[in-house]
Amino acid sequence: MKKLFSKYWGTIRIELASQLAYKLNFLLLILGPALVFFLIKINLWYSIFAARDNELLRGYTFERMLEYQTYVLVVTLLCQSYASRNISEDIRFGRISAFLLYPTSFMGYHFGAFSAAQILNCLSALIVLVIGFGSGILPLESLTHLAAGGSMALLVSLLWFCVWFLLSSSSFWIEESWVLRVLFTMVARFLSGAIIPLDLFPPKVLEFLWYTPFPYLTFIPVQLCMGSSSVTFHDAALMTVLWLLIAAITARVLWSKGLRLYAAAGM
């Protein structure tokens, strides 16, 4: 166990040094897209409420929507900021041959890289929270709900890691898996409430979405942070763990089948 932890911690240290070596690259890759997407959404919702003379939109004022979207930014930084492109590249270019000889597994190494990225993502999310509370965008009473929402977001990040590993494992069969990852990200952002809160969706659509993992990717953690979720933390965590197990098992099966086809191309 001590050796396993030392290898895991060693991977984290190496990845932290690697990601911080090019600070501008980190800002452009992680913070840049999230902040630009956030500003676009705020501008969009400002225009919508201005056109409606600040009329309530199913219980949302512009201030409430601003709070919602700020928490979406925090959850996005915590859950969806891990860059997993190296997984598919390692498969396509045959670099996994080295991992088959290393005293650590391929998934274990990338989980260490994911953990390193999460340390930086937590710091980035903390900065957003400090700015949000300091500027008055986030009400101070939300601090009591932040622990539940933050814990839920970190649990969801594990689900995202398994989904990314699953999609990247398709590189055993297709040349470019980034298409699947981009497509899934676009669908997930819309159906998870990252753009439009799910309680603004038609009731029939929302009823269907509760049978999918999408609400738990963004909407539920944000609602827990705001203290207005109709789902308790324990129920949400249970459903997230269920989808996490499904994604992890599927990723493991896909990885095992892919290894049987692997011919060390590019070596």
Side-chain angles (χ1 to χ4, degrees):
M1 181 62 69
K2 185 178 180 180
K3 290 184 178 180
L4 180 63
F5 178 78
S6 63
K7 289 186 291 185
Y8 177 69
W9 177 243
T11 301
I12 293 177
R13 291 175 57 189
I14 293 172
E15 286 299 316
L16 280 174
S18 175
Q19 294 193 35
L20 292 177
Y22 301 97
K23 298 177 178 59
L24 180 59
N25 182 69
F26 171 77
L27 293 174
L28 293 177
L29 184 64
I30 304 300
L31 296 180
L35 289 175
V36 169
F37 195 50
F38 171 75
L39 293 175
I40 291 174
K41 290 188 294 180
I42 293 303
N43 183 65
L44 173 64
W45 283 110
Y46 177 81
S47 301
I48 291 174
F49 278 96
R52 294 170 55 89
D53 294 326
N54 289 323
E55 181 183 349
L56 280 175
L57 182 61
R58 293 195 185 180
Y60 282 92
T61 61
F62 175 71
E63 290 73 19
R64 187 67 169 172
M65 184 60 71
L66 182 59
E67 178 189 354
Y68 178 90
Q69 295 297 343
T70 303
Y71 276 123
V72 168
L73 175 59
V74 172
V75 170
T76 299
L77 289 172
L78 290 176
C79 299
Q80 305 174 31
S81 296
Y82 175 62
S84 63
R85 65 193 184 283
N86 289 336
I87 297 177
S88 58
E89 290 178 359
D90 287 343
I91 296 173
R92 282 201 303 121
F93 297 141
R95 292 197 292 257
I96 64 172
S97 297
F99 286 98
L100 299 179
L101 302 175
Y102 287 167
T104 183
S105 66
F106 181 77
M107 181 177 281
Y109 170 80
H110 280 284
F111 185 76
F114 161 78
S115 301
Q118 282 300 92
I119 294 175
L120 299 177
N121 294 336
C122 287
L123 293 175
S124 302
L126 181 60
I127 292 174
V128 174
L129 287 172
V130 170
I131 295 174
F133 286 115
S135 62
I137 295 176
L138 302 178
L140 291 176
E141 56 266 23
S142 297
L143 285 171
T144 58
H145 308 290
L146 196 56
S151 300
M152 186 66 191
L154 292 176
L155 181 60
V156 171
S157 70
L158 297 177
L159 174 57
W160 271 102
F161 172 77
C162 291
V163 170
W164 285 145
F165 197 95
L166 190 160
L167 295 176
S168 297
S169 295
S170 63
S171 294
F172 283 114
W173 293 272
I174 62 178
E175 185 175 358
E176 294 289 351
S177 65
W178 67 267
V179 178
L180 295 179
R181 299 199 304 272
V182 170
L183 180 61
F184 180 83
T185 300
M186 293 174 61
V187 173
R189 284 188 172 177
F190 182 73
L191 297 182
S192 68
I195 302 175
I196 304 174
L198 293 188
D199 41 11
L200 299 184
F201 278 46
K204 293 284 186 182
V205 176
L206 185 56
E207 183 179 350
F208 166 76
L209 286 177
W210 286 120
Y211 293 97
T212 71
F214 295 115
Y216 303 95
L217 299 181
T218 304
F219 183 72
I220 294 301
V222 170
Q223 290 290 298
L224 288 172
C225 288
M226 297 175 66
S228 58
S229 177
S230 58
V231 180
T232 65
F233 172 81
H234 297 91
D235 291 340
L238 183 62
M239 289 301 300
T240 302
V241 169
L242 175 62
W243 285 111
L244 172 61
L245 290 175
I246 293 174
I249 292 172
T250 305
R252 185 64 183 178
V253 170
L254 201 63
W255 171 257
S256 298
K257 289 189 175 183
L259 278 182
R260 298 191 190 102
L261 304 174
Y262 179 64
M267 292 299 291

